[in-house]
Amino acid sequence: MNRRKRRGIREGNPIATFAMYAACVLIVFITLYPMYYVLILSLSAPQYASTMRVYTFPKGFDLSAYKVLVKNSNMWRAYVNTILYVIPTTVLMIITSAVVAYGLNYRKLMGRKYLNMFLLIPMYFGGGMIPTFLLIVKLGLYDSPLSQIIPGCFSIWNIILIKAYFRSIPESLSEAAKIDGAGVLQVFTRIMIPLGKPIFAVVAVYTIVGVWNSWFGAMLYLPHTEWQPLQLYLRRLLIEASQSVKEVMDAATAREVAERQLSNAQLKYAMIIFTTLPVLCTYPFFQKYFVKGMVLGSLKE
């Protein structure tokens, strides 16, 4: 009986293997189908995209929504603005988080325990929208692209994440470098930074996705459209520029508005694909370090 039980749960059991593969296939389907669904809706004709009754393949193959996006110069300006916000914010986020995390791990730092406790306070309690707005105005950042970069280049959560990762690095490496004559700065630049690539990749992915999808801060601090990011431009294009058919008295104009709303339904899905592709293309470059950084960075001190 015991021998049968051991054979039933041995490695390579066909039933267990089939169940695991089936579970993996189901998870992949649940993960990928929503994006595929949006893709086929964006490629379908407007009358089909508005009803959302497209499930497997595009109906009435139509690329008019993508043509509208490509020819829109304002959209490309917003696209460039978003890239200009993503790159410096990500770089500054990694630099500030790494420097503070390394300093908090330095054992000879005076008041290190109290500094760690002090950093936890703003992590859970914030000043709110109005004090933040007043601060941005007093600093002269209102209606400036720096209002989208400076407030987002510091994160206590990322500091704690990198700090835990640095703590997982064997201290013998730092001690050996100090014996060879390396100082605190040299240990940081030649040991911690090269070994910290996995956790830096995690922080970079979090920051890129967060900045790319943000729009509320730009709505508060950027009243003019010149420096507004892509997400805010899309919001204005789809929501604020929409017109209700009921408000139109003329029949011909109402028909034109109705056709425009059908096109907007297709345009909405095309915009989702158009704005999501850069993030999807970014992830493979960080995938090599992402899993390792998530596991090691989550270790408790």
Side-chain angles (χ1 to χ4, degrees):
M1 182 65 66
N2 293 335
R3 183 177 300 175
R4 289 184 179 179
K5 289 184 179 180
R6 286 196 297 269
R7 289 181 179 178
I9 60 174
R10 71 181 185 276
E11 185 177 359
N13 184 280
I15 298 178
T17 302
F18 175 79
M20 287 188 291
Y21 275 104
C24 291
V25 171
L26 180 61
I27 294 173
V28 170
F29 177 78
I30 295 174
T31 304
L32 297 182
Y33 182 74
M35 181 59 65
Y36 176 74
Y37 180 67
V38 174
L39 176 62
I40 60 178
L41 283 175
S42 67
L43 297 175
S44 300
Q47 60 270 24
Y48 296 109
S50 60
T51 60
M52 300 181 65
R53 294 181 179 178
V54 183
Y55 304 105
T56 54
F57 300 101
K59 292 183 179 180
F61 187 79
D62 189 1
L63 294 175
S64 58
Y66 290 97
K67 293 179 182 179
V68 172
L69 291 177
V70 172
K71 295 180 181 179
N72 194 327
S73 59
N74 294 327
M75 190 275 299
W76 284 112
R77 176 59 187 266
Y79 220 105
V80 173
N81 289 340
T82 302
I83 295 176
L84 293 177
Y85 298 148
V86 167
I87 295 177
T89 304
T90 303
V91 174
L92 291 174
M93 176 67 76
I94 294 175
I95 293 175
T96 56
S97 301
V99 170
V100 176
Y102 178 70
L104 293 176
N105 273 335
Y106 188 63
R107 296 186 181 276
K108 296 182 180 180
L109 180 66
M110 295 181 59
R112 184 167 66 98
K113 179 180 178 181
Y114 299 101
L115 288 175
N116 286 321
M117 295 176 59
F118 177 77
L119 284 177
L120 293 177
I121 297 176
M123 183 176 177
Y124 295 102
F125 303 98
M129 182 174 64
I130 295 178
T132 304
F133 181 84
L134 295 177
L135 178 62
I136 294 295
V137 173
K138 291 293 184 180
L139 292 176
L141 300 179
Y142 185 74
D143 201 13
S144 169
L146 293 178
S147 64
Q148 305 302 304
I149 299 175
I150 295 179
C153 66
F154 186 85
S155 172
I156 298 175
W157 167 253
N158 291 333
I159 291 173
I160 296 175
L161 200 65
I162 297 178
K163 179 174 174 288
Y165 184 88
F166 283 168
R167 183 63 63 87
S168 66
I169 298 176
E171 193 173 353
S172 58
L173 295 176
S174 301
E175 294 177 353
K178 292 178 182 178
I179 293 175
D180 292 337
V184 176
L185 183 60
Q186 290 177 321
V187 172
F188 175 66
T189 56
R190 297 187 180 183
I191 296 179
M192 294 299 178
I193 290 182
L195 295 178
K197 290 180 180 179
I199 198 64
F200 295 156
V202 175
V203 173
V205 171
Y206 286 163
T207 307
I208 290 172
V209 174
V211 176
W212 189 270
N213 293 329
S214 64
W215 60 270
F216 188 71
M219 186 179 66
L220 293 177
Y221 309 134
L222 296 177
H224 297 93
T225 60
E226 181 181 2
W227 291 106
Q228 290 182 353
L230 180 63
Q231 299 297 336
L232 184 58
Y233 171 77
L234 298 182
R235 179 183 182 275
R236 185 177 70 253
L237 185 65
L238 291 176
I239 299 178
E240 297 178 358
S242 62
Q243 184 180 11
S244 176
V245 180
K246 297 180 181 179
E247 298 175 357
V248 181
M249 302 301 295
D250 185 18
T253 307
R255 189 182 306 108
E256 181 183 353
V257 172
E259 293 177 356
R260 189 185 309 161
Q261 288 185 343
L262 290 177
S263 300
N264 285 341
Q266 183 195 23
L267 185 64
K268 176 175 63 176
Y269 301 115
M271 286 179 177
I272 294 174
I273 297 297
F274 205 70
T275 57
T276 307
L277 280 178
V279 178
L280 295 178
C281 295
T282 301
Y283 179 76
F285 295 99
F286 298 94
Q287 187 178 8
K288 177 180 178 182
Y289 306 103
F290 190 79
V291 176
K292 182 180 178 182
M294 284 294 295
V295 174
L296 296 180
S298 61
L299 294 177
K300 294 183 178 180
E301 299 183 15

